[in-house]
Amino acid sequence: MSKRIALRRTTLLGAALGLGLMSQVSAAASNLVFCSEGSPAGFDTAQFTSATDNDAAEPIYNRLVEFERGGTAVQPGLATDWQVSDDGLTYTFHLRPGVKFHSNKAFTPTRDLNADDVLFTFQRMLDRDHPFRKAYPTEFPYFVSMGLDKNIAKVEKRDPMTVVFTLNSVDAAFIQNIAMAFASILSAEYADRLLASGKASDINQQPIGTGPFVFQRYQKDAQIRYKGNKDYWAPDRVKLDNLVFSINIDPSVRIQKLRRGECQITLHPRPADLPALKQDAKLKVLSQPGFNLGYIAYNIKHPPFDRLEVRQALDMAVNKAAIIDAVYQDAGQAAVNAMPPTQWSYDSSIKDAPFDPAKAKQLLEQAGVKPGTEITLWAMPVQRPYNPNAKLMAQMLQADWGALGFKVRIVSYEWGEYLKRMKNGEHDIALIGWTGDNGDPDNWLGTLFSCDAIGSNNYSQWCDQPYDALVKKAKQVTDRAQRTELYQQAQRRLKAQVPITPVAHSTVNQPLSLRVKDFKVSPFGRNVFSDVGID
């Protein structure tokens, strides 16, 4: 079944950019400054799951297939079309001719994109003995948590412009999955050059892609600079001469810069700032229901959280209504399940346990947990769409659980370190969350809570065989009604076992200058700057 989808073409113009970090604006150039909230750990998207990292790499790369701007539909990217075999196990992709890779001071490509680049991109993730992976040892959390490392049997080059993927079992989410950032296509020629020069790790700090913007330089905690790709395969989509990410952890600083015209788009405003932003005649605020979830993850490998009664007690002692009122204000709704209500297969019959601190104390006594037991609660150092103020939430939970007799110590680290340590399972309890990546239920229930996701996105370290069997089976059928029933069974199992406490789904608000035209808020929390203009 051949899938051919025409790419949209939209006019773009530029906005204002300061020279240095933020100085005089050049009226002659077409420039745009984006106030981002954190420093990326790097630009090798396959090894990262944070939106901060993916945002920073988004301008540089393309995938075989890509999501339409502002939507969940998949359209052609570096593949012009593809076919799926009748048994659902073979995917044949036909590559777009004439696609050029970027250049930098150390590398100038000698050829256009071909099948070798696709093979390198996926073989590096599939083969632990791959020469490049040995030279630059990395893990690939998305790839593994989705089970692609086990389900992709082989990737073959049929001819220079045709690539064939063969799966071991049907994966109903396969096309959606490979439209995600981790599947960005890398240059095999650049990788060979780096390997030969002993600089394999430069693939993470000096990235080469095919995307609409070319990486220039990165100064941690300050800025990332890109220039418009004059040789982009869809030239009408690139009208910006320069794109700059101005990195500011403090939301008040980002808002000040937006109001002064030092950046044209920002993200994650504090709920308290929204009324003033909406009244500013020079700004507009794009809002939409968030395809996200903020939650509390209990590390079941750390006693006493290995006991179900303890997790149940902590869960029913969370004053969720108070947290939503104080932390999310008018921009959040209580979460019950491990995914948002707008995700198909959501089970609306599931209900929260009542808020009941007295019963929680009884459960802890029955479990033998003594008053004064010390636990750590990890709080994110940055704002995320699913949690606008993790520090305040942690303080409120500290009070809720302190009333049960726990001594709660709040812990935080720099964002990249925070994620790394959580993946290693160093926390007792952590505040974290998720913005959906591809519109498929597996992106929540499999990516976050499956056994395969331990060490990547499963911060509860929870491996439950009945749950895992349901999620795996749901990926192997293509009928949506069947998949829905399986995913709803999985949701009920997860709710009963309490590896997490869902807290809230937040409304996404994106402030930007009135001069910005055709910027679209992504349901997946991606910030895409092709097809964006300035009046």
Side-chain angles (χ1 to χ4, degrees), residues 141-330:
Y142 260 133
F143 194 70
V144 171
S145 64
M146 292 176 172
L148 293 173
D149 60 323
K150 298 174 182 175
N151 199 33
I152 296 178
K154 55 185 175 180
V155 185
E156 299 174 289
K157 171 183 174 180
R158 177 171 293 175
D159 61 52
M161 299 302 288
T162 308
V163 179
V164 180
F165 288 72
T166 303
L167 308 184
N168 289 313
S169 60
V170 172
D171 181 352
F174 182 70
I175 287 293
Q176 300 287 116
N177 288 343
I178 65 167
M180 292 165 53
F182 78 89
S184 296
I185 303 302
L186 306 174
S187 165
E189 187 181 15
Y190 182 49
D192 288 343
R193 188 78 57 85
L194 294 177
L195 198 58
S197 62
K199 297 180 178 179
S201 63
D202 277 3
I203 204 165
N204 188 38
Q205 298 299 331
Q206 299 294 328
I208 292 289
T210 61
F213 295 93
V214 180
F215 174 81
Q216 296 294 285
R217 62 182 180 273
Y218 168 40
Q219 183 181 355
K220 188 176 181 181
D221 299 328
Q223 63 172 313
I224 314 169
R225 299 180 73 97
Y226 315 81
K227 69 176 181 180
N229 181 6
K230 304 299 184 184
D231 297 317
Y232 192 49
W233 51 268
D236 290 348
R237 303 184 69 182
V238 185
K239 297 290 179 62
L240 292 175
D241 294 314
N242 298 284
L243 171 66
V244 171
F245 280 32
S246 174
I247 300 167
N248 304 278
I249 295 174
D250 188 337
S252 63
V253 172
R254 295 196 299 269
I255 295 304
Q256 289 169 12
K257 288 180 178 291
L258 179 68
R259 284 183 155 162
R260 292 197 298 258
E262 295 177 2
C263 63
Q264 290 73 53
I265 304 176
T266 188
L267 74 176
H268 310 328
R270 295 174 301 190
D273 291 332
L274 286 171
L277 288 170
K278 290 177 180 179
Q279 292 173 9
D280 192 318
K282 296 180 294 184
L283 304 177
K284 57 185 172 183
V285 179
L286 303 180
S287 299
Q288 68 181 37
F291 194 55
N292 59 41
L293 168 71
Y295 64 93
I296 303 163
Y298 306 109
N299 185 348
I300 69 158
K301 298 289 180 67
H302 285 198
F305 315 109
D306 55 341
R307 303 281 300 275
L308 175 59
E309 310 97 290
V310 174
R311 301 195 300 273
Q312 289 174 326
L314 290 165
D315 177 78
M316 68 178 61
V318 174
N319 191 339
K320 197 177 293 187
I323 288 174
I324 291 171
D325 183 57
V327 175
Y328 294 86
Q329 299 180 27
D330 293 329

Side-chain angles (χ1 to χ4, degrees), residues 37 40-57 139-146 180-182 295 384-386 415-416 418-420 422-423 432-437 443 447-448 453 455-459 524-526:
E37 90 295 1
F43 300 87
D44 180 14
T45 58
Q47 58 176 301
F48 304 118
T49 60
S50 164
T52 302
D53 302 307
N54 289 337
D55 256 2
E139 297 300 321
F140 305 105
Y142 260 133
F143 194 70
V144 171
S145 64
M146 292 176 172
M180 292 165 53
F182 78 89
Y295 64 93
R384 305 305 307 147
Y386 47 75
W415 183 225
Y418 185 90
L419 293 173
K420 178 182 175 183
M422 278 204 307
K423 288 172 182 177
I432 193 62
W434 193 253
T435 297
D437 288 306
N443 186 240
T447 300
L448 300 183
S456 56
N457 299 308
N458 186 342
Y459 299 116
F524 307 135
R526 300 163 65 238

Side-chain angles (χ1 to χ4, degrees), residues 354-523:
F355 174 60
D356 193 340
K359 185 176 180 182
K361 274 190 174 183
Q362 292 176 1
L363 286 173
L364 292 174
E365 289 172 6
Q366 293 169 15
V369 178
K370 296 180 180 179
T373 297
E374 295 185 3
I375 61 176
T376 60
L377 170 60
W378 289 30
M380 299 175 299
V382 296
Q383 282 184 294
R384 305 305 307 147
Y386 47 75
N387 190 333
N389 193 337
K391 182 179 179 181
L392 176 58
M393 186 184 292
Q395 291 168 343
M396 297 181 74
L397 290 170
Q398 186 180 46
D400 289 343
W401 293 335
L404 302 181
F406 284 106
K407 287 187 177 179
V408 183
R409 180 168 62 90
I410 297 173
V411 174
S412 193
Y413 296 94
E414 181 272 331
W415 183 225
E417 188 70 12
Y418 185 90
L419 293 173
K420 178 182 175 183
R421 287 174 177 265
M422 278 204 307
K423 288 172 182 177
N424 291 336
E426 297 179 26
H427 58 291
D428 286 341
I429 306 174
L431 299 183
I432 193 62
W434 193 253
T435 297
D437 288 306
N438 63 22
D440 193 272
D442 182 72
N443 186 240
W444 301 90
L445 302 182
T447 300
L448 300 183
F449 308 112
S450 69
C451 298
D452 287 339
I454 291 176
S456 56
N457 299 308
N458 186 342
Y459 299 116
S460 297
Q461 310 283 310
W462 180 66
C463 179
D464 182 79
Q465 294 302 329
Y467 173 89
D468 221 51
L470 289 166
V471 172
K472 281 185 166 62
K473 186 176 180 182
K475 281 187 73 176
Q476 294 171 3
V477 296
T478 56
D479 180 77
R480 181 170 285 199
Q482 287 181 278
R483 295 188 76 202
T484 294
E485 173 56 31
L486 291 165
Y487 283 129
Q488 289 185 344
Q489 290 181 45
Q491 289 169 70
R492 292 191 285 271
R493 177 70 183 177
L494 186 144
K495 190 69 174 178
Q497 293 299 305
V498 203
I500 67 165
T501 292
V503 177
H505 311 292
S506 69
T507 301
V508 174
N509 293 287
Q510 190 113 31
L512 63 163
S513 166
L514 276 178
R515 298 172 55 221
V516 176
K517 302 298 179 185
D518 203 29
F519 180 86
K520 296 184 183 295
V521 178
S522 165

Side-chain angles (χ1 to χ4, degrees), residues 1-4 81-85 90-94 158:
M1 44 188 176
S2 179
K3 304 187 190 281
R4 289 181 167 83
D81 60 273
W82 59 95
Q83 293 83 43
V84 186
S85 62
T90 304
Y91 290 74
T92 303
F93 294 92
H94 305 283
R158 177 171 293 175

